[in-house]
Amino acid sequence: MKASIVGGTGYGSVELIRLINKHPYMELGTIVSNSQAGNSFSQTYPHLTGIIEQRMEDFDASNLSEKNDIVFLATPSGVSSNLIPKLLDNGIKCIDLSGDFRLRSTEEYELWYKHSPADESYLKQATYGLSEIYTEKIRSAKLIANPGCYPTASTLGLLPIVKTNLADNKSIIIDAKSGVSGAGRGLSLTSHYAEINENLKAYKLGAHQHIPEIEQVLQDETGTQITITFTTHLVPMTRGIMCTTYVNLKENISTEQAVQLYTQFYEKNPFVRIRKPGTIPATKEVLGSNYCDIGLHVDPRTNRLTIISVIDNLVKGAAGQAIQNANLMNGWDERAGLDDLPLYP
Amino acid sequence: MKASIVGGTGYGSVELIRLINKHPYMELGTIVSNSQAGNSFSQTYPHLTGIIEQRMEDFDASNLSEKNDIVFLATPSGVSSNLIPKLLDNGIKCIDLSGDFRLRSTEEYELWYKHSPADESYLKQATYGLSEIYTEKIRSAKLIANPGCYPTASTLGLLPIVKTNLADNKSIIIDAKSGVSGAGRGLSLTSHYAEINENLKAYKLGAHQHIPEIEQVLQDETGTQITITFTTHLVPMTRGIMCTTYVNLKENISTEQAVQLYTQFYEKNPFVRIRKPGTIPATKEVLGSNYCDIGLHVDPRTNRLTIISVIDNLVKGAAGQAIQNANLMNGWDERAGLDDLPLYP
Amino acid sequence: MKASIVGGTGYGSVELIRLINKHPYMELGTIVSNSQAGNSFSQTYPHLTGIIEQRMEDFDASNLSEKNDIVFLATPSGVSSNLIPKLLDNGIKCIDLSGDFRLRSTEEYELWYKHSPADESYLKQATYGLSEIYTEKIRSAKLIANPGCYPTASTLGLLPIVKTNLADNKSIIIDAKSGVSGAGRGLSLTSHYAEINENLKAYKLGAHQHIPEIEQVLQDETGTQITITFTTHLVPMTRGIMCTTYVNLKENISTEQAVQLYTQFYEKNPFVRIRKPGTIPATKEVLGSNYCDIGLHVDPRTNRLTIISVIDNLVKGAAGQAIQNANLMNGWDERAGLDDLPLYP
Amino acid sequence: MKASIVGGTGYGSVELIRLINKHPYMELGTIVSNSQAGNSFSQTYPHLTGIIEQRMEDFDASNLSEKNDIVFLATPSGVSSNLIPKLLDNGIKCIDLSGDFRLRSTEEYELWYKHSPADESYLKQATYGLSEIYTEKIRSAKLIANPGCYPTASTLGLLPIVKTNLADNKSIIIDAKSGVSGAGRGLSLTSHYAEINENLKAYKLGAHQHIPEIEQVLQDETGTQITITFTTHLVPMTRGIMCTTYVNLKENISTEQAVQLYTQFYEKNPFVRIRKPGTIPATKEVLGSNYCDIGLHVDPRTNRLTIISVIDNLVKGAAGQAIQNANLMNGWDERAGLDDLPLYP
């Protein structure tokens, strides 16, 4: 099966290529990059010298659909909303790594993204690709809105407790920290080495576009509207996201009970690992892998649950989850091509 | 005036030496290090070759008190509680950078520190050295318990809002992040480069010994017992602490009003800088300096205040605040020797 | 085929486990760690929670040899010289990642390593495992002395030019730079985060134990004794080695000619990639992979060749080359289990 | 005395401001930035909030000269060659941190810098500001060409040995490594965090514009033309330069003799520290300070001298040396404003 990548030179694309290259059932098809069409991929990424010498092409929906079996789009915000309708009309399945098809409400999209939303008729065809939660819908989907990196770590950490009705929904605070690769390959002072190295920054307080995405999942899964506090920080490292999430509990439970609850919730999900009481995951412990590791602590002094969830933002937070979704859509083992151990140290 | 340093080879000591070296009214006196007695300081720290060639000495309370005018103790937990009584009995003023004299309750000390507390008669003589808050008491103190790095950033961030009675005291959550130098120079797998670099770790959930210290200050300043949630994270950088603190507000106020409140609270304090609405400080913006910078954001959706406070853990979080306290104790301008701009980038 | 690992908790071991886990023909056998015997591997390395829960065992040569088909030893210097004789006597093949069997001269070993060499009768059975150069000997070897990380990058960079007789052998200078994981997991001030981060250090000038190893290879391959200058530096990053090597040329050749010479030399070696004129590899371009990338530049002003060779010190510089050698010893494709793309960024 | 800074928002400027702020005899005058004229300096650099709120201005040579006593230019390559003639004509002294006035030969400038050189009549008025070597000329200079960061570390390391005639001048190889702040604040993929972090890169092989600058100094000081090999590497850290320099010796001398020679050479220079035999400086040991530390090693096997020289690229490599030169030009102690200890760790 041929997998095409649209948006060829960003970090999402190069990570998709790394994963497709080791996938047992997919091989790399067309790479589309309008800005680099005609150049070989290894000119942009010399670490692929001698391996991915394939030339990039301009976007051509009918040609793409003919020569490939699935398309991954790793384009900047606001681009895939224009490309995906053409691809779907040509009958090819799409997995969109951008935020364009994640929010069902076009008003919310405009409010948080500050530009035009996708066409509503196509928006309706999108399935939110949080693999562990929407597994069945994903199997039959034609268009996947692959979740954001922060929403993946946040919602996998929150859902077991909010779905049991043990959580005080008004109390949810997510203190999120990310490595710098999450900001992409576009040049910016906020990715400039000397500004970021040996520095810790908070950014977009109360304004991050992943807030409505997290709230939409929480509402879908609980049936009630939940408003969260969500703060993002930039950590001087390349990869990794940690969400430290605080939830007031409506009943007294112990750390052990919380661990048991989470373990049962994810017992069929190979990529979610719940840590034993007293152990807390660090971001490096999932580096390069598709795992989401979760540690839990209930403070008996405040009856508040602290959830620590970590992912590699480019794998489970982007390309890895996209491959996981492709596996589900094709009826393969969801672990196909994703069984690497984390790279440590 | 001669300033002695006890606990000679840790990061607290070498930072004290850097600051005393540029102080207009103090000069370096005896350096005490039992493990390195007889060696020159520059053997341990070659960056001081040709500058601090002075030999370290064994601890001798009467000799120290004779040859010096003030003593800074930067010893590991549980050491200064044995040394300070001897020094005070010899009539010399002490500033203790360890946690030994910070908690008034010996029960709390044993509970959180897991070893024996200082003698209660000496404990009563200690003044908690949060310079901006206990200014007057510090001026006349003979023994300063210099605050911990996390408590400094946390309480400077919290006090303006909890003292106005605008805060829901049960809602306080401090998500704290620190650079690795805070763990000191002692060897440990949690300071081992390959384990920490490119990694973000949470640690000591619900168990950090700075929790009772923060709660003691909050109780002293509000008259009510306040229980906080406090989570610490290790960030791959050498210096810097950021506390991201969440407080539910009992009344609606805007970000602008919060900024005004904080600005007034600290209007006489040269080392606390309140950022304008919409701007948030990063840790590098105080590197090497004694500033505590604070940014504020009220989310109207939840009526929750987010406070971002940053310090250099070795300066305002340790040696710098110790010098600031020495300045107050001696009737000097509190900025003496501390007027450097942050090192940027 | 079962692969045992002796020296279970170091970085060499954990990297071997990562690679064996994805190997098509080998699976993990006994893990030996005297210090951690009885504990599960994931207690030491929580990133393997739920994956490598196997318990570590004490060293027992006959038991090991019975239950496994090959043994990888990733023990500290001076340990495997005692273990390997027992293993060989039990008839099992060994790949030693330490330096114990690399130098044929016991005098040289004692001079540079400062402790007792291996028994000479076993030393004679060892084949130096520089896979690209000693391919045929490795295929039939029973004991492989796996090369050091620096010697791998150095000799792969030097051999094409010294073997053509174009090099002035007296002029060879290797300026080597390594990430910190090369120093292992043992605690030391030279791996202490705050000492190493934001710092660049040279170390062991003229005294590094890899000097005689490089010189032995150069002598073996040229038939003449060559004395090199070799300087090592510690770079604030976890993985990666770069050797910048300088050689005076005896004849005028262009950069293009040098590139052609190297390309031909390695044309049958899938893991050595020669970069085109004008492009120079960086360490991140081989991260997590078994590649050795080489860039070349001839300065016509001095007729001096500069060779830049990069590897991942834990892969091609240790565990990856060990797997490559196991592949050769077993008649498998040398790429088996080693076909991952570099992790970028 | 008022010191103006032209080129206001780069790292050279902000470091000049840090140093002028603590200078006993200079205070900050006009800040010129054409791109940011009208904005306060702290808008660009929030770490100076409340301290440097001064507004930046457009360049106006006569106004500048009237209101200031000296001008520091920290502009990009090719800019100061147009501004300095106007300033000199207005009678104000200039210290240029760019490369525009460093090379006496306009042909060499065009060859290496690839754009038009400064006017030769002004070029002749420039004094090369390597403070330790050209001390007397600097005292009476009106225009200082402040040395490049690499040439400062390189030539201070080389001059003692090449001036004794002990060096084989054809054998000089400088393997130079720099932190990323040396590349400035302009956005570029080579300063993009995720590309540089955990990566070591060589760049501009045989083509760095500092090559002719180093060669010019060596020729001036030895009277013979010397051609060097000079390779630059980018190290994942913000500040610091290390030059590892290799020189074949024409006579046998020991490391001790080399140390003695260097110590005598620099005995009157407070900012050059020669390390004892067996100790080698690291870049962090000069962080934030104006020191150049030098370690030496003679390998008796090859009779080759290895020189390790380290500086902070933004201090001794730029702004600090500029202040040192201003001190000399004004008859002040050359240490004025530069007596800070390195920031460690």
Side-chain angles (χ1 to χ4, degrees):
Chain A
M1 182 172 275
K2 288 261 185 194
S4 169
I5 294 171
V6 176
T9 60
Y11 292 145
S13 296
V14 72
E15 189 69 354
L16 280 164
I17 285 175
R18 181 177 77 89
L19 295 172
I20 290 169
N21 190 64
K22 67 171 76 177
H23 198 280
Y25 313 124
M26 281 195 284
E27 63 176 332
L28 184 58
T30 312
I31 312 176
V32 171
S33 166
N34 286 345
S35 68
Q36 298 287 321
N39 292 339
S40 85
F41 196 75
S42 72
Q43 277 175 271
T44 301
Y45 286 109
H47 73 285
L48 299 176
T49 297
I51 307 171
I52 313 287
E53 294 294 356
Q54 187 177 326
R55 298 202 173 277
M56 290 177 268
E57 302 179 16
D58 278 315
F59 180 79
D60 174 337
S62 80
N63 189 34
L64 255 195
S65 308
E66 223 169 274
K67 297 197 182 149
N68 299 276
D69 302 289
I70 192 165
V71 182
F72 294 91
L73 295 102
T75 44
S77 183
V79 173
S80 69
S81 54
N82 292 312
L83 307 182
I84 282 178
K86 298 172 194 163
L87 291 165
L88 291 180
D89 291 355
N90 272 281
I92 191 166
K93 289 178 181 177
C94 295
I95 298 180
D96 181 24
L97 279 75
S98 86
D100 284 16
F101 289 85
R102 292 184 199 147
L103 299 184
R104 281 192 304 274
S105 156
T106 53
E107 290 78 19
E108 287 277 294
Y109 185 88
E110 284 193 275
L111 180 65
W112 294 89
Y113 283 85
K114 316 283 183 206
H115 52 82
S116 300
D119 183 289
E120 222 157 332
S121 64
Y122 290 94
L123 217 46
K124 281 181 188 152
Q125 302 180 40
T127 296
Y128 189 71
L130 189 60
S131 317
E132 281 72 15
I133 306 302
Y134 302 110
T135 321
E136 289 314 312
K137 281 189 190 164
I138 292 165
R139 288 192 208 278
S140 57
K142 293 200 167 141
L143 167 58
I144 296 288
N146 211 57
C149 48
Y150 286 124
T152 296
S154 297
T155 59
L156 290 177
L158 270 167
L159 286 172
I161 197 72
V162 298
K163 291 194 72 166
T164 58
N165 208 20
L166 280 167
D168 171 359
N169 290 338
K170 285 191 177 164
S171 73
I172 299 172
I173 294 173
I174 304 169
D175 191 280
K177 298 99 176 165
S178 177
V180 184
S181 64
R185 210 183 190 215
L187 300 181
S188 147
L189 210 51
T190 59
S191 301
H192 194 62
Y193 188 87
E195 302 284 321
I196 294 307
N197 181 40
E198 287 294 289
N199 200 358
L200 177 66
K201 287 184 124 129
Y203 67 103
K204 283 197 190 177
L205 266 73
H208 199 288
Q209 71 278 10
H210 285 169
I211 292 175
E213 185 179 336
I214 297 168
E215 290 180 350
Q216 178 179 279
V217 174
L218 296 180
Q219 179 163 2
D220 286 355
E221 292 301 301
T222 62
T224 56
Q225 197 181 325
I226 294 178
T227 304
I228 60 168
T229 289
F230 177 74
T231 309
T232 45
H233 302 78
L234 207 53
V235 177
M237 59 185 191
T238 300
R239 289 178 181 232
I241 277 183
M242 176 182 285
C243 291
T244 309
T245 302
Y246 301 95
V247 181
N248 291 348
L249 296 173
K250 294 195 286 192
E251 292 173 31
N252 286 329
I253 65 168
S254 65
T255 297
E256 288 70 20
Q257 287 172 310
V259 167
Q260 196 180 8
L261 170 73
Y262 273 67
T263 304
Q264 282 169 0
F265 191 93
Y266 288 117
E267 69 184 342
K268 294 186 179 156
N269 298 112
F271 291 121
V272 181
R273 301 190 295 186
I274 308 303
R275 293 296 174 86
K276 287 179 195 152
T279 63
I280 295 294
T283 59
K284 201 178 187 65
E285 295 172 5
V286 297
L287 178 66
S289 81
N290 200 47
Y291 290 108
C292 174
D293 281 13
I294 299 175
L296 299 157
H297 175 75
V298 178
D299 184 355
R301 304 190 327 141
T302 55
N303 205 31
R304 191 173 279 140
L305 172 66
T306 301
I307 307 157
I308 309 270
S309 51
V310 299
I311 59 170
D312 182 322
N313 57 303
L314 292 177
V315 190
K316 184 63 178 169
Q321 187 155 246
I323 299 291
Q324 189 181 357
N325 287 330
N327 289 343
L328 292 172
M329 290 163 86
N330 286 291
W332 303 324
D333 184 334
E334 66 182 312
R335 291 167 297 186
L338 295 170
D339 49 2
D340 270 4
L341 301 189
L343 189 74
Y344 194 96
Chain B
M1 180 173 275
K2 287 260 185 192
S4 169
I5 294 172
V6 176
T9 60
Y11 291 145
S13 296
V14 72
E15 189 69 353
L16 280 165
I17 286 176
R18 181 177 77 88
L19 295 173
I20 290 170
N21 191 65
K22 66 171 76 176
H23 198 280
Y25 313 124
M26 282 195 283
E27 63 176 333
L28 185 58
T30 311
I31 312 176
V32 172
S33 165
N34 286 346
S35 67
Q36 298 288 320
N39 291 339
S40 85
F41 196 75
S42 72
Q43 277 176 271
T44 301
Y45 286 108
H47 73 284
L48 299 176
T49 297
I51 306 172
I52 313 288
E53 293 294 356
Q54 188 177 327
R55 295 201 176 278
M56 290 177 269
E57 302 180 18
D58 279 316
F59 181 79
D60 174 337
S62 81
N63 190 35
L64 253 196
S65 307
E66 223 168 274
K67 296 197 182 148
N68 299 276
D69 302 289
I70 193 164
V71 182
F72 295 92
L73 295 103
T75 45
S77 185
V79 174
S80 69
S81 55
N82 292 313
L83 307 182
I84 281 177
K86 298 172 194 163
L87 292 166
L88 290 180
D89 291 355
N90 273 281
I92 191 165
K93 290 178 180 175
C94 295
I95 298 180
D96 181 23
L97 280 74
S98 86
D100 283 16
F101 289 85
R102 291 185 200 147
L103 299 184
R104 280 191 306 274
S105 157
T106 53
E107 290 79 19
E108 287 276 294
Y109 185 88
E110 284 194 274
L111 179 66
W112 293 91
Y113 282 86
K114 318 281 182 205
H115 52 82
S116 300
D119 184 290
E120 220 156 333
S121 65
Y122 291 95
L123 217 46
K124 280 180 190 151
Q125 301 179 40
T127 296
Y128 188 70
L130 190 60
S131 318
E132 281 72 17
I133 306 302
Y134 302 110
T135 321
E136 290 313 312
K137 281 188 190 164
I138 293 165
R139 288 192 208 277
S140 57
K142 292 197 167 143
L143 168 58
I144 296 288
N146 211 56
C149 49
Y150 286 125
T152 297
S154 297
T155 59
L156 290 177
L158 270 168
L159 285 172
I161 198 73
V162 298
K163 291 194 72 166
T164 58
N165 208 20
L166 280 167
D168 171 358
N169 290 338
K170 285 191 178 165
S171 73
I172 299 173
I173 294 172
I174 304 170
D175 191 280
K177 299 101 176 164
S178 178
V180 184
S181 64
R185 209 180 191 220
L187 299 181
S188 147
L189 211 51
T190 58
S191 301
H192 194 63
Y193 187 87
E195 301 284 322
I196 295 306
N197 181 43
E198 287 294 289
N199 199 359
L200 178 67
K201 286 185 126 131
Y203 67 103
K204 284 198 189 176
L205 265 73
H208 200 288
Q209 70 277 9
H210 285 168
I211 292 175
E213 185 179 337
I214 297 168
E215 291 179 351
Q216 177 178 281
V217 174
L218 295 181
Q219 180 163 2
D220 286 356
E221 293 300 300
T222 62
T224 56
Q225 197 181 326
I226 295 179
T227 305
I228 60 168
T229 289
F230 177 73
T231 309
T232 46
H233 302 78
L234 207 53
V235 177
M237 59 185 190
T238 299
R239 289 178 180 232
I241 277 182
M242 177 182 285
C243 290
T244 310
T245 302
Y246 301 95
V247 182
N248 291 349
L249 296 173
K250 294 195 287 191
E251 292 173 32
N252 287 327
I253 63 167
S254 65
T255 298
E256 287 70 20
Q257 287 172 309
V259 167
Q260 194 180 9
L261 170 73
Y262 273 67
T263 305
Q264 282 169 0
F265 191 93
Y266 288 117
E267 67 184 343
K268 294 186 180 157
N269 299 111
F271 291 121
V272 181
R273 300 189 296 186
I274 308 304
R275 293 298 174 84
K276 288 178 195 152
T279 63
I280 295 294
T283 60
K284 201 178 189 64
E285 295 172 6
V286 298
L287 177 66
S289 82
N290 200 49
Y291 290 108
C292 173
D293 282 13
I294 300 176
L296 300 157
H297 176 75
V298 179
D299 184 354
R301 303 190 327 141
T302 56
N303 205 31
R304 191 174 279 140
L305 171 66
T306 302
I307 307 157
I308 310 271
S309 51
V310 299
I311 58 170
D312 182 321
N313 57 304
L314 292 177
V315 190
K316 184 63 180 169
Q321 187 155 245
I323 300 290
Q324 189 181 357
N325 287 329
N327 289 342
L328 292 172
M329 290 163 87
N330 286 292
W332 303 324
D333 184 333
E334 67 182 310
R335 290 166 297 186
L338 295 170
D339 49 2
D340 270 5
L341 301 189
L343 190 73
Y344 195 96
Chain C
M1 181 172 275
K2 288 261 185 193
S4 169
I5 294 172
V6 176
T9 60
Y11 292 145
S13 296
V14 72
E15 189 70 354
L16 280 165
I17 286 175
R18 182 176 77 88
L19 295 173
I20 290 170
N21 190 64
K22 67 171 78 177
H23 197 281
Y25 313 124
M26 281 195 284
E27 63 177 331
L28 184 58
T30 312
I31 312 176
V32 171
S33 165
N34 286 345
S35 68
Q36 298 287 321
N39 292 339
S40 86
F41 196 74
S42 72
Q43 277 175 271
T44 301
Y45 285 108
H47 73 284
L48 298 176
T49 297
I51 306 172
I52 312 289
E53 294 294 355
Q54 187 177 326
R55 297 200 173 278
M56 290 177 269
E57 302 179 17
D58 279 316
F59 181 80
D60 174 337
S62 82
N63 190 35
L64 255 195
S65 308
E66 223 168 273
K67 296 198 182 148
N68 299 275
D69 303 288
I70 192 165
V71 183
F72 294 91
L73 295 102
T75 44
S77 184
V79 173
S80 68
S81 54
N82 293 313
L83 307 182
I84 282 178
K86 298 173 194 162
L87 291 166
L88 291 180
D89 290 355
N90 272 280
I92 191 166
K93 291 178 179 176
C94 296
I95 299 180
D96 181 23
L97 279 74
S98 86
D100 283 17
F101 289 85
R102 291 184 199 148
L103 299 184
R104 280 192 305 274
S105 157
T106 53
E107 290 78 18
E108 287 277 293
Y109 184 88
E110 283 193 275
L111 179 66
W112 294 90
Y113 283 85
K114 318 281 183 204
H115 52 81
S116 300
D119 184 289
E120 222 157 334
S121 66
Y122 291 94
L123 218 45
K124 280 181 189 150
Q125 301 180 40
T127 297
Y128 189 70
L130 189 60
S131 318
E132 280 72 17
I133 306 302
Y134 302 109
T135 320
E136 289 315 311
K137 282 189 190 163
I138 292 165
R139 287 192 209 276
S140 57
K142 291 197 169 144
L143 168 58
I144 296 288
N146 212 57
C149 48
Y150 286 124
T152 296
S154 297
T155 59
L156 290 177
L158 271 167
L159 285 172
I161 197 73
V162 298
K163 291 194 72 166
T164 58
N165 208 19
L166 280 167
D168 170 357
N169 290 338
K170 285 191 177 164
S171 74
I172 299 173
I173 295 172
I174 304 169
D175 190 280
K177 298 100 176 165
S178 176
V180 183
S181 64
R185 209 181 191 221
L187 299 181
S188 146
L189 210 51
T190 59
S191 300
H192 194 63
Y193 187 87
E195 302 284 323
I196 295 307
N197 181 42
E198 288 293 289
N199 200 359
L200 178 67
K201 287 185 124 130
Y203 68 103
K204 284 196 189 176
L205 265 72
H208 200 288
Q209 71 277 10
H210 286 169
I211 292 174
E213 185 179 336
I214 298 168
E215 290 179 350
Q216 178 178 280
V217 174
L218 296 180
Q219 179 162 3
D220 287 355
E221 293 301 300
T222 62
T224 56
Q225 197 180 325
I226 294 178
T227 305
I228 60 169
T229 289
F230 177 72
T231 310
T232 46
H233 302 78
L234 207 52
V235 177
M237 60 185 191
T238 299
R239 289 177 180 233
I241 278 182
M242 176 182 286
C243 291
T244 309
T245 302
Y246 302 95
V247 181
N248 292 348
L249 296 173
K250 295 195 287 191
E251 292 173 30
N252 287 328
I253 64 167
S254 65
T255 297
E256 287 69 20
Q257 288 172 310
V259 167
Q260 195 179 9
L261 171 73
Y262 273 67
T263 304
Q264 282 169 359
F265 191 93
Y266 289 118
E267 69 184 341
K268 293 187 180 157
N269 298 111
F271 291 121
V272 181
R273 301 189 295 186
I274 309 304
R275 292 297 174 85
K276 287 178 196 152
T279 64
I280 296 293
T283 60
K284 200 176 188 67
E285 294 172 6
V286 298
L287 177 67
S289 82
N290 200 48
Y291 291 108
C292 174
D293 282 13
I294 300 175
L296 299 157
H297 176 76
V298 178
D299 185 355
R301 304 189 327 140
T302 55
N303 205 31
R304 191 173 280 140
L305 171 66
T306 303
I307 308 157
I308 309 270
S309 51
V310 299
I311 58 170
D312 182 321
N313 57 302
L314 293 177
V315 190
K316 184 62 179 170
Q321 187 154 244
I323 299 289
Q324 189 181 358
N325 287 329
N327 289 342
L328 292 171
M329 290 163 87
N330 286 290
W332 303 324
D333 182 333
E334 66 182 312
R335 291 167 298 188
L338 295 171
D339 48 3
D340 271 3
L341 302 190
L343 189 73
Y344 194 96
Chain D
M1 181 173 274
K2 288 260 184 194
S4 169
I5 295 172
V6 175
T9 60
Y11 291 145
S13 296
V14 71
E15 188 70 353
L16 280 165
I17 286 175
R18 181 176 79 88
L19 296 172
I20 291 170
N21 190 65
K22 67 171 75 178
H23 199 281
Y25 313 124
M26 281 195 283
E27 63 176 333
L28 184 59
T30 312
I31 312 175
V32 172
S33 166
N34 286 344
S35 68
Q36 297 287 321
N39 291 339
S40 86
F41 196 74
S42 73
Q43 276 175 272
T44 301
Y45 286 109
H47 72 285
L48 299 176
T49 297
I51 306 172
I52 313 288
E53 294 295 353
Q54 187 177 327
R55 297 202 173 276
M56 290 177 268
E57 301 179 19
D58 278 316
F59 181 79
D60 174 337
S62 81
N63 189 34
L64 255 195
S65 307
E66 223 169 274
K67 297 197 181 148
N68 299 275
D69 302 290
I70 193 164
V71 182
F72 295 92
L73 295 102
T75 45
S77 183
V79 174
S80 68
S81 54
N82 292 313
L83 307 182
I84 281 178
K86 298 172 194 162
L87 292 165
L88 291 180
D89 290 355
N90 273 280
I92 192 165
K93 290 178 179 175
C94 294
I95 298 180
D96 181 24
L97 280 74
S98 86
D100 283 18
F101 289 85
R102 291 184 198 147
L103 300 184
R104 280 192 305 274
S105 156
T106 53
E107 289 78 20
E108 287 276 294
Y109 185 88
E110 282 194 275
L111 179 66
W112 294 90
Y113 282 85
K114 317 282 181 205
H115 51 83
S116 301
D119 184 288
E120 222 157 334
S121 64
Y122 292 94
L123 219 44
K124 280 180 190 152
Q125 302 179 39
T127 296
Y128 188 70
L130 190 61
S131 318
E132 281 71 18
I133 306 303
Y134 302 109
T135 321
E136 290 314 312
K137 281 190 191 163
I138 292 166
R139 287 192 209 278
S140 57
K142 292 199 168 140
L143 168 58
I144 297 289
N146 212 55
C149 48
Y150 286 125
T152 296
S154 298
T155 59
L156 290 177
L158 271 168
L159 286 172
I161 198 72
V162 298
K163 291 193 73 166
T164 58
N165 208 19
L166 281 166
D168 171 358
N169 291 338
K170 284 193 178 163
S171 72
I172 299 173
I173 295 172
I174 305 169
D175 191 279
K177 300 99 175 164
S178 176
V180 184
S181 64
R185 209 180 191 220
L187 300 180
S188 146
L189 210 52
T190 59
S191 301
H192 194 63
Y193 187 87
E195 302 284 323
I196 295 306
N197 182 42
E198 288 293 289
N199 199 358
L200 177 67
K201 287 184 124 130
Y203 68 102
K204 284 197 189 177
L205 266 73
H208 200 288
Q209 71 277 9
H210 286 168
I211 292 175
E213 185 179 338
I214 297 168
E215 291 180 349
Q216 178 179 281
V217 174
L218 295 180
Q219 179 163 1
D220 286 354
E221 294 300 301
T222 62
T224 57
Q225 197 181 324
I226 296 179
T227 304
I228 60 168
T229 289
F230 177 73
T231 310
T232 45
H233 302 79
L234 207 52
V235 177
M237 59 185 190
T238 300
R239 288 178 180 233
I241 278 182
M242 176 182 285
C243 291
T244 309
T245 302
Y246 301 96
V247 182
N248 291 348
L249 296 172
K250 294 195 286 191
E251 292 173 31
N252 287 328
I253 64 167
S254 65
T255 298
E256 287 70 20
Q257 288 172 309
V259 167
Q260 195 178 10
L261 170 73
Y262 273 67
T263 304
Q264 283 169 359
F265 191 92
Y266 288 118
E267 67 184 342
K268 293 186 179 155
N269 299 111
F271 291 121
V272 181
R273 301 189 297 186
I274 308 304
R275 293 297 174 86
K276 288 178 196 152
T279 63
I280 295 294
T283 60
K284 201 177 188 65
E285 295 173 4
V286 298
L287 177 67
S289 82
N290 200 47
Y291 291 108
C292 173
D293 282 13
I294 300 176
L296 299 157
H297 176 75
V298 178
D299 185 355
R301 304 190 326 141
T302 55
N303 206 32
R304 190 173 280 140
L305 171 66
T306 302
I307 307 157
I308 309 271
S309 51
V310 299
I311 58 169
D312 182 322
N313 57 304
L314 293 178
V315 190
K316 184 63 179 170
Q321 187 155 244
I323 300 289
Q324 188 180 358
N325 287 329
N327 289 343
L328 292 172
M329 291 162 87
N330 286 291
W332 304 323
D333 183 333
E334 67 182 311
R335 290 167 298 187
L338 294 171
D339 48 2
D340 271 5
L341 302 188
L343 189 74
Y344 194 95

